[in-house]
Amino acid sequence: MNSVRTVLKSAAMPMLPALVAALRDLLGPKGYADDPAELAPWLTDWRGRVTGRAAAMLRPDTAEQVAAIVRLCAAAGVPLVPQGGNTSMVAGAVPGEADDALLLSLRRLNRVRRIDTEENLAVVEAGVVLADLHDAAAAVGRRFPLSLGAKGSATIGGLVSTNAGGTQVLRHGTMRALTLGVEAVLADGARFDDLAALPKDNRGYNVTQLLIGAEGTLGVVTAATLRLSPAVGARAVAWVGLRAPADALRLLRRLERALGDAVEGFELIPAIALELVLRHVPGTRAPLGGAWPWHALVEAVAEGAPDPGEALATALGEALAAGLVGDAVLAASERDAGEFWRLRESIAEGERAEGPGAKHDVSLPVAAMPAFLEEGAAAVGGAFPDTRVIAFGHLGDGNIHFNVGAPSTAGADPARWLAEDAPAITRFVNDLVAARGGSISAEHGIGQLKRDELLRLSDPARLGVLRAIKGALDPLNIMNPGKLVPLAEEGTGQ
Ligand code: MLT
Ligand code: ZN
Protein backbone atom coordinates (compact mmCIF):
# COMPACT_ATOMS: atom_id res chain seq x y z
CA MET A 1 0.00 0.00 0.00
CA ASN A 2 1.18 3.54 -0.73
CA SER A 3 2.51 5.54 2.17
CA VAL A 4 0.70 8.75 3.05
CA ARG A 5 3.73 10.71 1.82
CA THR A 6 3.65 9.03 -1.59
CA VAL A 7 -0.05 9.32 -2.19
CA LEU A 8 -0.23 12.94 -1.13
CA LYS A 9 2.37 13.66 -3.78
CA SER A 10 0.02 12.58 -6.54
CA ALA A 11 -0.99 16.04 -7.71
CA ALA A 12 -3.90 16.93 -9.96
CA MET A 13 -3.70 15.36 -13.39
CA PRO A 14 -4.86 16.97 -16.63
CA MET A 15 -8.51 16.32 -17.31
CA LEU A 16 -9.07 13.62 -19.85
CA PRO A 17 -11.43 14.10 -22.80
CA ALA A 18 -13.14 10.84 -21.86
CA LEU A 19 -13.83 12.17 -18.38
CA VAL A 20 -15.33 15.37 -19.81
CA ALA A 21 -17.60 13.37 -22.06
CA ALA A 22 -18.74 11.14 -19.21
CA LEU A 23 -19.42 14.12 -16.92
CA ARG A 24 -21.37 15.99 -19.61
CA ASP A 25 -23.40 12.90 -20.25
CA LEU A 26 -24.08 12.37 -16.55
CA LEU A 27 -25.00 15.96 -15.70
CA GLY A 28 -26.54 17.41 -18.83
CA PRO A 29 -26.29 21.10 -19.81
CA LYS A 30 -27.62 22.39 -16.46
CA GLY A 31 -25.06 20.42 -14.52
CA TYR A 32 -21.87 21.08 -16.47
CA ALA A 33 -20.28 24.45 -17.26
CA ASP A 34 -16.89 25.27 -18.71
CA ASP A 35 -17.44 28.79 -19.97
CA PRO A 36 -14.68 30.82 -18.24
CA ALA A 37 -17.03 33.79 -17.74
CA GLU A 38 -19.53 31.58 -15.93
CA LEU A 39 -16.85 30.02 -13.74
CA ALA A 40 -14.99 33.23 -12.91
CA PRO A 41 -17.12 34.45 -9.94
CA TRP A 42 -16.73 31.08 -8.24
CA LEU A 43 -12.97 30.83 -8.58
CA THR A 44 -12.07 33.78 -6.35
CA ASP A 45 -12.70 33.54 -2.62
CA TRP A 46 -14.93 36.02 -0.78
CA ARG A 47 -11.97 37.93 0.62
CA GLY A 48 -10.41 38.20 -2.83
CA ARG A 49 -7.18 36.58 -1.68
CA VAL A 50 -7.01 33.55 -3.99
CA THR A 51 -8.08 33.07 -7.59
CA GLY A 52 -7.88 29.41 -8.47
CA ARG A 53 -8.10 27.41 -11.67
CA ALA A 54 -10.72 24.89 -12.66
CA ALA A 55 -11.41 23.30 -16.02
CA ALA A 56 -15.14 23.07 -15.34
CA MET A 57 -17.84 23.52 -12.75
CA LEU A 58 -20.02 20.51 -11.99
CA ARG A 59 -23.52 21.18 -10.66
CA PRO A 60 -25.17 17.92 -9.66
CA ASP A 61 -28.69 18.03 -8.27
CA THR A 62 -28.80 14.70 -6.48
CA ALA A 63 -26.50 12.86 -4.07
CA GLU A 64 -26.45 9.98 -6.57
CA GLN A 65 -24.95 12.30 -9.16
CA VAL A 66 -22.33 13.44 -6.64
CA ALA A 67 -21.36 9.81 -6.05
CA ALA A 68 -21.12 9.16 -9.79
CA ILE A 69 -18.93 12.26 -10.24
CA VAL A 70 -16.58 11.16 -7.48
CA ARG A 71 -16.30 7.66 -8.94
CA LEU A 72 -15.44 9.08 -12.38
CA CYS A 73 -12.90 11.54 -10.94
CA ALA A 74 -11.32 8.92 -8.69
CA ALA A 75 -10.84 6.65 -11.70
CA ALA A 76 -9.21 9.51 -13.64
CA GLY A 77 -7.25 10.87 -10.65
CA VAL A 78 -8.82 14.31 -11.08
CA PRO A 79 -9.34 16.36 -7.92
CA LEU A 80 -12.62 17.95 -6.84
CA VAL A 81 -13.12 21.17 -4.92
CA PRO A 82 -16.54 21.19 -3.22
CA GLN A 83 -18.21 24.57 -2.94
CA GLY A 84 -21.42 25.96 -1.45
CA GLY A 85 -21.92 29.71 -1.11
CA ASN A 86 -18.19 30.51 -1.49
CA THR A 87 -18.12 32.47 1.77
CA SER A 88 -15.02 30.85 3.27
CA MET A 89 -12.75 33.23 5.15
CA VAL A 90 -9.71 31.02 4.50
CA ALA A 91 -10.06 30.24 0.77
CA GLY A 92 -11.31 26.77 1.67
CA ALA A 93 -13.80 26.47 -1.20
CA VAL A 94 -11.84 27.63 -4.24
CA PRO A 95 -9.11 25.72 -6.07
CA GLY A 96 -5.48 26.72 -5.60
CA GLU A 97 -3.69 28.96 -8.08
CA ALA A 98 -1.76 26.05 -9.56
CA ASP A 99 -4.50 23.44 -9.38
CA ASP A 100 -6.11 21.60 -12.23
CA ALA A 101 -9.26 20.67 -10.39
CA LEU A 102 -12.96 20.53 -11.05
CA LEU A 103 -15.22 22.77 -9.04
CA LEU A 104 -18.04 20.75 -7.49
CA SER A 105 -20.89 23.15 -6.76
CA LEU A 106 -23.45 21.75 -4.33
CA ARG A 107 -25.86 24.64 -4.75
CA ARG A 108 -28.46 22.66 -6.71
CA LEU A 109 -28.75 20.14 -3.88
CA ASN A 110 -31.09 22.55 -2.16
CA ARG A 111 -34.00 20.57 -0.81
CA VAL A 112 -35.24 20.55 2.75
CA ARG A 113 -35.98 16.83 2.70
CA ARG A 114 -37.91 16.67 5.95
CA ILE A 115 -38.67 18.63 9.11
CA ASP A 116 -39.81 16.60 12.10
CA THR A 117 -41.46 18.78 14.75
CA GLU A 118 -41.81 15.84 17.16
CA GLU A 119 -38.11 15.05 17.14
CA ASN A 120 -37.13 18.69 16.50
CA LEU A 121 -34.88 17.95 13.58
CA ALA A 122 -34.49 18.85 9.93
CA VAL A 123 -32.92 16.78 7.17
CA VAL A 124 -31.52 19.20 4.63
CA GLU A 125 -29.31 18.99 1.58
CA ALA A 126 -25.88 20.54 1.36
CA GLY A 127 -26.86 23.39 -0.95
CA VAL A 128 -29.66 24.78 1.25
CA VAL A 129 -28.82 28.39 2.12
CA LEU A 130 -28.78 29.05 5.87
CA ALA A 131 -31.41 31.84 5.68
CA ASP A 132 -33.74 29.49 3.76
CA LEU A 133 -33.40 26.89 6.52
CA HIS A 134 -34.23 29.62 9.06
CA ASP A 135 -37.40 30.39 7.08
CA ALA A 136 -38.37 26.74 6.68
CA ALA A 137 -38.00 26.12 10.41
CA ALA A 138 -39.91 29.30 11.29
CA ALA A 139 -42.80 28.19 9.09
CA VAL A 140 -43.39 25.23 11.45
CA GLY A 141 -42.75 27.04 14.73
CA ARG A 142 -39.11 26.02 15.13
CA ARG A 143 -35.71 27.59 14.56
CA PHE A 144 -32.23 26.52 13.60
CA PRO A 145 -30.13 28.33 16.20
CA LEU A 146 -27.02 29.21 14.23
CA SER A 147 -26.59 32.51 12.47
CA LEU A 148 -23.80 34.53 10.91
CA GLY A 149 -23.27 37.50 8.63
CA ALA A 150 -23.12 35.35 5.48
CA LYS A 151 -26.46 33.64 6.18
CA GLY A 152 -27.90 34.81 2.85
CA SER A 153 -25.29 32.81 0.89
CA ALA A 154 -23.60 30.29 3.19
CA THR A 155 -24.90 26.76 2.66
CA ILE A 156 -25.45 23.87 5.02
CA GLY A 157 -22.73 21.73 3.42
CA GLY A 158 -20.17 24.46 3.98
CA LEU A 159 -21.36 25.14 7.51
CA VAL A 160 -21.06 21.44 8.36
CA SER A 161 -17.71 21.09 6.60
CA THR A 162 -16.20 24.04 8.47
CA ASN A 163 -17.87 23.37 11.82
CA ALA A 164 -19.19 26.92 11.61
CA GLY A 165 -19.82 28.90 14.77
CA GLY A 166 -21.54 32.27 14.47
CA THR A 167 -23.24 34.35 17.10
CA GLN A 168 -25.27 31.82 19.16
CA VAL A 169 -22.55 29.37 20.11
CA LEU A 170 -22.74 30.60 23.69
CA ARG A 171 -25.97 28.71 24.17
CA HIS A 172 -26.31 26.29 21.26
CA GLY A 173 -22.75 25.30 20.35
CA THR A 174 -21.10 25.07 16.93
CA MET A 175 -22.18 22.84 14.03
CA ARG A 176 -20.63 19.90 15.86
CA ALA A 177 -23.33 20.27 18.49
CA LEU A 178 -26.13 20.99 16.04
CA THR A 179 -25.41 18.29 13.45
CA LEU A 180 -26.85 14.92 14.43
CA GLY A 181 -25.75 13.01 11.36
CA VAL A 182 -24.47 13.51 7.83
CA GLU A 183 -24.80 11.90 4.44
CA ALA A 184 -21.60 12.10 2.41
CA VAL A 185 -19.83 10.72 -0.63
CA LEU A 186 -16.41 9.38 0.30
CA ALA A 187 -13.28 9.59 -1.85
CA ASP A 188 -13.95 6.28 -3.63
CA GLY A 189 -17.54 7.26 -4.44
CA ALA A 190 -19.08 5.20 -1.63
CA ARG A 191 -22.11 6.80 0.01
CA PHE A 192 -22.01 7.14 3.77
CA ASP A 193 -25.45 7.60 5.36
CA ASP A 194 -25.80 8.60 9.00
CA LEU A 195 -28.93 10.70 8.60
CA ALA A 196 -30.94 8.47 10.98
CA ALA A 197 -29.15 10.35 13.75
CA LEU A 198 -29.68 7.69 16.39
CA PRO A 199 -29.52 9.06 19.94
CA LYS A 200 -27.38 6.07 20.90
CA ASP A 201 -24.98 4.48 18.44
CA ASN A 202 -21.66 2.92 19.36
CA ARG A 203 -20.58 1.38 16.07
CA GLY A 204 -17.03 2.56 16.51
CA TYR A 205 -15.54 5.85 15.40
CA ASN A 206 -17.92 8.76 15.02
CA VAL A 207 -17.70 9.20 11.26
CA THR A 208 -20.22 12.05 11.21
CA GLN A 209 -18.07 14.05 13.61
CA LEU A 210 -14.98 13.26 11.55
CA LEU A 211 -16.63 14.75 8.46
CA ILE A 212 -17.79 17.86 10.33
CA GLY A 213 -14.97 20.40 10.12
CA ALA A 214 -13.03 18.27 7.60
CA GLU A 215 -13.36 21.05 4.99
CA GLY A 216 -14.28 18.55 2.29
CA THR A 217 -10.87 16.87 2.50
CA LEU A 218 -12.30 13.47 3.44
CA GLY A 219 -15.49 13.42 1.41
CA VAL A 220 -18.33 15.56 0.12
CA VAL A 221 -21.19 16.23 2.53
CA THR A 222 -24.46 15.95 0.59
CA ALA A 223 -27.01 16.30 3.42
CA ALA A 224 -27.24 16.62 7.18
CA THR A 225 -29.69 16.02 9.99
CA LEU A 226 -29.78 19.14 12.13
CA ARG A 227 -31.10 19.85 15.59
CA LEU A 228 -33.90 22.44 15.79
CA SER A 229 -35.02 24.50 18.77
CA PRO A 230 -38.45 25.86 19.64
CA ALA A 231 -39.20 29.19 17.98
CA VAL A 232 -38.37 32.29 19.97
CA GLY A 233 -41.40 33.69 21.79
CA ALA A 234 -39.75 37.02 22.56
CA ARG A 235 -36.29 38.49 22.35
CA ALA A 236 -34.57 41.49 23.88
CA VAL A 237 -31.58 43.06 22.19
CA ALA A 238 -29.32 45.69 23.72
CA TRP A 239 -26.36 47.76 22.57
CA VAL A 240 -23.98 48.57 25.40
CA GLY A 241 -21.10 51.07 25.60
CA LEU A 242 -18.11 49.87 27.62
CA ARG A 243 -14.72 51.09 28.76
CA ALA A 244 -12.72 47.87 28.55
CA PRO A 245 -12.96 44.22 27.44
CA ALA A 246 -12.64 43.06 31.06
CA ASP A 247 -15.84 44.97 31.85
CA ALA A 248 -17.53 43.22 28.92
CA LEU A 249 -16.72 39.79 30.34
CA ARG A 250 -17.85 40.86 33.82
CA LEU A 251 -21.10 42.09 32.27
CA LEU A 252 -21.64 38.80 30.47
CA ARG A 253 -21.20 36.82 33.69
CA ARG A 254 -23.55 39.19 35.52
CA LEU A 255 -26.21 38.81 32.80
CA GLU A 256 -25.87 35.03 32.89
CA ARG A 257 -26.46 35.07 36.64
CA ALA A 258 -29.51 37.30 36.19
CA LEU A 259 -31.05 35.71 33.08
CA GLY A 260 -29.60 32.20 32.97
CA ASP A 261 -29.32 30.60 29.57
CA ALA A 262 -31.70 33.16 28.05
CA VAL A 263 -28.51 35.04 27.12
CA GLU A 264 -27.65 33.57 23.76
CA GLY A 265 -25.73 36.32 22.01
CA PHE A 266 -22.91 38.43 23.40
CA GLU A 267 -20.68 40.04 20.79
CA LEU A 268 -17.79 42.40 21.50
CA ILE A 269 -17.30 45.30 19.09
CA PRO A 270 -14.51 47.88 19.31
CA ALA A 271 -15.05 51.52 18.31
CA ILE A 272 -12.95 51.04 15.15
CA ALA A 273 -15.19 48.20 13.89
CA LEU A 274 -18.32 50.29 14.37
CA GLU A 275 -16.58 53.18 12.62
CA LEU A 276 -15.77 51.02 9.57
CA VAL A 277 -19.36 49.82 9.31
CA LEU A 278 -20.77 53.33 9.61
CA ARG A 279 -18.31 54.52 6.96
CA HIS A 280 -18.84 51.79 4.39
CA VAL A 281 -22.25 50.20 4.88
CA PRO A 282 -25.15 52.35 3.64
CA GLY A 283 -28.07 53.04 5.94
CA THR A 284 -26.30 52.30 9.23
CA ARG A 285 -26.26 54.55 12.31
CA ALA A 286 -24.69 54.38 15.77
CA PRO A 287 -27.10 53.15 18.45
CA LEU A 288 -25.60 55.30 21.25
CA GLY A 289 -25.01 59.05 21.34
CA GLY A 290 -21.61 59.00 23.07
CA ALA A 291 -18.32 57.48 21.97
CA TRP A 292 -17.18 54.31 23.73
CA PRO A 293 -13.98 52.39 23.13
CA TRP A 294 -15.87 49.08 23.26
CA HIS A 295 -19.40 47.92 22.71
CA ALA A 296 -21.33 44.74 23.40
CA LEU A 297 -24.35 43.51 21.48
CA VAL A 298 -26.47 41.40 23.78
CA GLU A 299 -29.41 39.19 22.86
CA ALA A 300 -31.63 37.41 25.38
CA VAL A 301 -34.42 35.16 24.17
CA ALA A 302 -37.36 33.35 25.69
CA GLU A 303 -38.76 30.36 23.90
CA GLY A 304 -42.02 30.71 25.85
CA ALA A 305 -42.94 33.25 28.56
CA PRO A 306 -41.73 35.44 30.15
CA ASP A 307 -40.43 38.21 27.92
CA PRO A 308 -36.72 38.66 28.77
CA GLY A 309 -36.86 42.42 28.08
CA GLU A 310 -37.62 43.44 31.66
CA ALA A 311 -34.97 41.21 33.20
CA LEU A 312 -32.36 42.45 30.69
CA ALA A 313 -33.29 46.10 31.33
CA THR A 314 -33.04 45.59 35.10
CA ALA A 315 -29.69 43.80 34.87
CA LEU A 316 -28.27 46.51 32.57
CA GLY A 317 -29.59 49.24 34.88
CA GLU A 318 -27.79 47.64 37.80
CA ALA A 319 -24.59 47.31 35.76
CA LEU A 320 -24.84 51.02 34.86
CA ALA A 321 -25.33 51.97 38.51
CA ALA A 322 -22.32 49.82 39.44
CA GLY A 323 -20.18 51.67 36.88
CA LEU A 324 -19.55 48.51 34.86
CA VAL A 325 -21.38 49.81 31.83
CA GLY A 326 -20.98 53.28 30.31
CA ASP A 327 -24.29 53.48 28.49
CA ALA A 328 -26.86 51.10 27.06
CA VAL A 329 -29.93 51.10 24.87
CA LEU A 330 -32.54 48.40 24.44
CA ALA A 331 -33.96 47.85 20.98
CA ALA A 332 -37.46 49.31 21.10
CA SER A 333 -38.72 47.21 18.19
CA GLU A 334 -37.81 44.23 16.02
CA ARG A 335 -36.67 46.76 13.45
CA ASP A 336 -34.20 48.31 15.95
CA ALA A 337 -33.02 44.85 16.92
CA GLY A 338 -32.41 44.02 13.27
CA GLU A 339 -30.44 47.25 12.84
CA PHE A 340 -28.23 46.48 15.84
CA TRP A 341 -27.49 43.03 14.43
CA ARG A 342 -26.85 44.47 11.00
CA LEU A 343 -24.10 46.63 12.46
CA ARG A 344 -22.44 43.57 13.97
CA GLU A 345 -22.89 41.36 10.95
CA SER A 346 -21.47 43.98 8.58
CA ILE A 347 -18.07 44.25 10.25
CA ALA A 348 -16.36 41.90 7.79
CA GLU A 349 -17.90 43.90 4.91
CA GLY A 350 -16.72 47.18 6.47
CA GLU A 351 -13.19 45.83 6.86
CA ARG A 352 -13.14 44.56 3.30
CA ALA A 353 -14.22 47.95 1.97
CA GLU A 354 -11.62 49.77 4.08
CA GLY A 355 -8.64 47.98 2.55
CA PRO A 356 -6.30 45.09 3.11
CA GLY A 357 -5.87 43.45 6.48
CA ALA A 358 -4.35 40.42 8.13
CA LYS A 359 -7.24 38.36 9.47
CA HIS A 360 -6.97 36.14 12.52
CA ASP A 361 -9.59 33.95 14.13
CA VAL A 362 -8.18 33.03 17.49
CA SER A 363 -9.45 31.44 20.66
CA LEU A 364 -8.20 31.33 24.22
CA PRO A 365 -9.74 30.31 27.51
CA VAL A 366 -12.53 32.87 27.93
CA ALA A 367 -11.06 34.35 31.12
CA ALA A 368 -7.75 35.04 29.36
CA MET A 369 -9.26 36.93 26.44
CA PRO A 370 -9.73 40.45 27.94
CA ALA A 371 -6.05 40.70 28.94
CA PHE A 372 -5.00 39.33 25.55
CA LEU A 373 -7.06 41.98 23.77
CA GLU A 374 -5.20 44.78 25.55
CA GLU A 375 -1.72 43.20 25.60
CA GLY A 376 -1.95 41.82 22.08
CA ALA A 377 -3.04 45.17 20.63
CA ALA A 378 -0.19 46.96 22.43
CA ALA A 379 2.35 44.39 21.20
CA VAL A 380 1.13 44.60 17.59
CA GLY A 381 1.13 48.40 17.76
CA GLY A 382 4.73 48.35 19.01
CA ALA A 383 6.00 45.88 16.42
CA PHE A 384 4.03 47.15 13.41
CA PRO A 385 3.57 50.93 13.70
CA ASP A 386 0.58 52.54 11.97
CA THR A 387 -1.39 49.30 11.72
CA ARG A 388 -4.83 49.15 13.34
CA VAL A 389 -6.04 46.24 15.42
CA ILE A 390 -9.71 45.49 14.76
CA ALA A 391 -10.56 42.85 17.34
CA PHE A 392 -14.20 41.81 17.54
CA GLY A 393 -16.51 38.90 17.93
CA HIS A 394 -17.52 36.10 20.17
CA LEU A 395 -16.09 37.02 23.57
CA GLY A 396 -18.26 34.55 25.44
CA ASP A 397 -16.77 31.70 23.36
CA GLY A 398 -13.20 32.96 23.91
CA ASN A 399 -13.12 33.56 20.12
CA ILE A 400 -12.09 36.93 18.74
CA HIS A 401 -11.32 37.99 15.17
CA PHE A 402 -8.07 39.74 16.00
CA ASN A 403 -7.60 41.45 12.67
CA VAL A 404 -4.88 43.93 11.81
CA GLY A 405 -5.63 46.59 9.20
CA ALA A 406 -2.87 47.77 6.88
CA PRO A 407 -1.36 51.24 7.40
CA SER A 408 -2.64 53.87 4.99
CA THR A 409 0.73 53.75 3.21
CA ALA A 410 -0.13 50.22 2.03
CA GLY A 411 -2.89 51.68 -0.14
CA ALA A 412 -0.42 52.35 -2.96
CA ASP A 413 0.40 48.65 -3.30
CA PRO A 414 -2.00 46.48 -1.30
CA ALA A 415 -0.83 43.29 -3.03
CA ARG A 416 2.73 43.85 -1.85
CA TRP A 417 1.52 44.52 1.72
CA LEU A 418 -0.54 41.33 1.71
CA ALA A 419 2.33 39.27 0.30
CA GLU A 420 5.14 40.67 2.43
CA ASP A 421 3.94 42.46 5.56
CA ALA A 422 0.74 40.63 6.44
CA PRO A 423 2.42 37.21 6.87
CA ALA A 424 4.86 38.67 9.40
CA ILE A 425 1.96 40.19 11.35
CA THR A 426 0.11 36.89 11.23
CA ARG A 427 3.09 34.99 12.59
CA PHE A 428 3.46 37.58 15.34
CA VAL A 429 -0.21 37.37 16.39
CA ASN A 430 -0.32 33.60 16.19
CA ASP A 431 2.83 33.34 18.31
CA LEU A 432 1.15 35.43 21.01
CA VAL A 433 -1.85 33.10 20.88
CA ALA A 434 0.22 29.90 20.84
CA ALA A 435 2.27 31.11 23.82
CA ARG A 436 -1.00 31.34 25.77
CA GLY A 437 -2.14 27.87 24.74
CA GLY A 438 -4.79 29.08 22.29
CA SER A 439 -5.97 28.12 18.81
CA ILE A 440 -5.11 29.96 15.57
CA SER A 441 -8.40 28.88 14.00
CA ALA A 442 -11.43 29.00 16.24
CA GLU A 443 -14.22 28.90 13.66
CA HIS A 444 -13.08 29.73 10.11
CA GLY A 445 -11.07 26.57 9.52
CA ILE A 446 -7.66 26.25 7.87
CA GLY A 447 -8.42 26.26 4.12
CA GLN A 448 -5.48 27.44 2.04
CA LEU A 449 -4.68 30.57 4.01
CA LYS A 450 -3.80 29.00 7.37
CA ARG A 451 -2.04 25.84 6.30
CA ASP A 452 1.47 27.22 6.75
CA GLU A 453 0.68 28.42 10.22
CA LEU A 454 -0.99 25.14 11.16
CA LEU A 455 2.16 23.39 10.07
CA ARG A 456 4.44 25.81 11.91
CA LEU A 457 2.55 25.76 15.19
CA SER A 458 1.04 22.28 15.47
CA ASP A 459 2.67 19.64 17.57
CA PRO A 460 3.81 16.46 15.78
CA ALA A 461 1.04 14.39 17.33
CA ARG A 462 -1.73 16.56 15.89
CA LEU A 463 -0.11 16.74 12.45
CA GLY A 464 0.49 13.00 12.43
CA VAL A 465 -3.16 12.25 13.15
CA LEU A 466 -4.40 14.73 10.52
CA ARG A 467 -2.13 13.23 7.87
CA ALA A 468 -2.89 9.64 8.81
CA ILE A 469 -6.64 10.23 8.55
CA LYS A 470 -6.30 12.09 5.25
CA GLY A 471 -4.05 9.40 3.81
CA ALA A 472 -6.39 6.61 4.89
CA LEU A 473 -9.63 8.15 3.64
CA ASP A 474 -8.40 9.95 0.53
CA PRO A 475 -5.34 8.04 -0.67
CA LEU A 476 -5.45 9.68 -4.14
CA ASN A 477 -5.66 13.18 -2.61
CA ILE A 478 -8.60 14.15 -4.82
CA MET A 479 -10.85 15.57 -2.08
CA ASN A 480 -10.28 19.34 -1.87
CA PRO A 481 -6.49 19.01 -2.14
CA GLY A 482 -4.31 21.79 -0.79
CA LYS A 483 -6.70 22.55 2.07
CA LEU A 484 -6.40 21.92 5.78
CA VAL A 485 -3.89 19.06 5.95
CA PRO A 486 -0.32 20.28 5.41
CA LEU A 487 1.43 18.04 2.89
CA ALA A 488 4.12 15.73 4.22
CA GLU A 489 6.58 17.47 1.87
CA GLU A 490 5.96 20.77 3.65
CA GLY A 491 7.65 19.41 6.76
CA THR A 492 7.45 16.23 8.70
CA GLY A 493 7.03 17.53 12.19
CA GLN A 494 7.59 13.91 13.06
C1 MLT B 1 -17.80 37.16 12.05
O1 MLT B 1 -17.79 36.80 13.21
O2 MLT B 1 -18.25 38.27 11.69
C2 MLT B 1 -17.30 36.23 11.01
O3 MLT B 1 -16.64 35.15 11.55
C3 MLT B 1 -16.59 36.91 9.92
C4 MLT B 1 -15.28 37.53 10.24
O4 MLT B 1 -14.47 37.01 10.97
O5 MLT B 1 -14.96 38.58 9.68
ZN1 ZN C 1 -16.98 34.98 13.71
Side-chain angles (χ1 to χ4, degrees):
M1 195 175 144
N2 288 330
S3 71
V4 173
R5 175 179 286 269
T6 310
V7 293
L8 288 178
K9 259 185 191 161
S10 62
M13 290 157 65
M15 204 171 43
L16 310 168
L19 175 64
V20 175
L23 289 169
R24 279 182 186 278
D25 195 38
L26 173 73
L27 299 167
K30 276 193 181 160
Y32 183 95
D34 56 11
D35 173 1
E38 203 174 333
L39 264 66
W42 305 104
L43 293 176
T44 298
D45 71 304
W46 184 83
R47 288 177 58 196
R49 294 292 308 278
V50 175
T51 296
R53 287 199 306 143
M57 174 161 62
L58 313 179
R59 295 183 296 217
D61 73 347
T62 63
E64 290 78 9
Q65 283 188 347
V66 176
I69 289 169
V70 175
R71 279 195 299 273
L72 287 167
C73 289
V78 170
L80 287 162
V81 175
Q83 188 185 77
N86 194 18
T87 59
S88 170
M89 290 280 170
V90 289
V94 291
E97 281 154 8
D99 282 355
D100 193 4
L102 293 173
L103 199 55
L104 177 56
S105 167
L106 280 307
R107 285 183 294 278
R108 289 178 72 216
L109 261 75
N110 60 1
R111 298 165 201 90
V112 173
R113 289 190 192 161
R114 175 166 87 81
I115 293 191
D116 184 330
T117 51
E118 288 292 314
E119 302 287 334
N120 278 326
L121 54 82
V123 181
V124 295
E125 294 186 345
V128 170
V129 170
L130 178 57
D132 293 339
L133 174 60
H134 289 160
D135 291 346
V140 293
R142 300 292 183 274
R143 66 183 172 130
F144 179 58
L146 183 141
S147 191
L148 34 74
K151 58 182 173 286
S153 342
T155 58
I156 297 306
L159 296 165
V160 169
S161 297
T162 56
N163 182 29
T167 51
Q168 289 155 296
V169 173
L170 202 54
R171 180 169 177 197
H172 299 280
T174 65
M175 285 301 283
R176 284 200 201 281
L178 294 167
T179 304
L180 304 171
V182 302
E183 174 194 88
V185 176
L186 305 180
D188 60 357
R191 288 185 66 192
F192 170 75
D193 183 351
D194 210 15
L195 292 178
L198 304 171
K200 297 182 84 171
D201 180 10
N202 269 350
R203 287 174 289 178
Y205 306 127
N206 190 328
V207 181
T208 279
Q209 285 292 333
L210 194 57
L211 291 163
I212 300 171
E215 302 186 24
T217 62
L218 304 178
V220 182
V221 170
T222 51
T225 301
L226 303 174
R227 188 194 302 281
L228 301 180
S229 291
V232 168
R235 70 168 174 166
V237 177
W239 190 278
V240 183
L242 294 151
R243 294 176 191 87
D247 289 346
L249 187 53
R250 277 189 216 109
L251 174 66
L252 170 61
R253 297 306 180 223
R254 186 185 264 255
L255 295 178
E256 286 171 338
R257 282 195 297 277
L259 285 99
D261 69 1
V263 182
E264 71 171 42
F266 192 95
E267 295 290 309
L268 184 68
I269 299 149
I272 174 77
L274 179 59
E275 196 183 309
L276 296 185
V277 172
L278 297 177
R279 185 178 308 151
H280 296 292
V281 182
T284 50
R285 62 186 172 89
L288 295 173
W292 297 96
W294 295 90
H295 307 254
L297 175 56
V298 184
E299 173 156 320
V301 307
E303 281 159 359
D307 186 326
E310 205 168 305
L312 182 59
T314 305
L316 287 173
E318 287 169 4
L320 260 166
L324 188 57
V325 158
D327 196 0
V329 59
L330 269 176
S333 62
E334 264 304 302
R335 189 194 154 116
D336 276 5
E339 285 185 4
F340 289 3
W341 272 108
R342 181 157 173 252
L343 292 171
R344 163 61 188 93
E345 291 177 339
S346 302
I347 296 175
E349 194 184 325
E351 284 182 308
R352 189 169 69 155
E354 179 74 3
K359 268 182 173 276
H360 311 107
D361 166 37
V362 306
S363 66
L364 287 175
V366 179
M369 190 48 95
F372 174 75
L373 285 167
E374 311 264 31
E375 294 161 15
V380 168
F384 303 97
D386 302 326
T387 56
R388 291 183 297 180
V389 170
I390 307 156
F392 66 92
H394 325 292
L395 179 67
D397 311 331
N399 171 202
I400 291 290
H401 303 303
F402 196 90
N403 301 338
V404 181
S408 50
T409 49
D413 191 354
R416 190 214 57 80
W417 188 86
L418 281 170
E420 291 169 23
D421 297 5
I425 296 174
T426 292
R427 285 192 294 275
F428 186 87
V429 169
N430 287 344
D431 282 345
L432 295 177
V433 171
R436 289 163 172 77
S439 165
I440 62 159
S441 179
E443 65 171 359
H444 293 166
I446 300 297
Q448 300 182 62
L449 299 183
K450 294 202 171 142
R451 245 163 50 118
D452 290 352
E453 284 295 89
L454 181 73
L455 177 71
R456 189 174 72 83
L457 294 169
S458 285
D459 60 275
R462 185 183 294 271
L463 280 180
V465 171
L466 293 181
R467 286 173 174 157
I469 292 173
K470 173 70 175 174
L473 295 194
D474 181 22
L476 297 175
N477 194 24
I478 60 164
M479 294 278 108
N480 211 8
K483 317 290 162 45
L484 204 175
V485 187
L487 295 179
E489 288 75 8
E490 290 177 288
T492 64
Q494 294 168 26

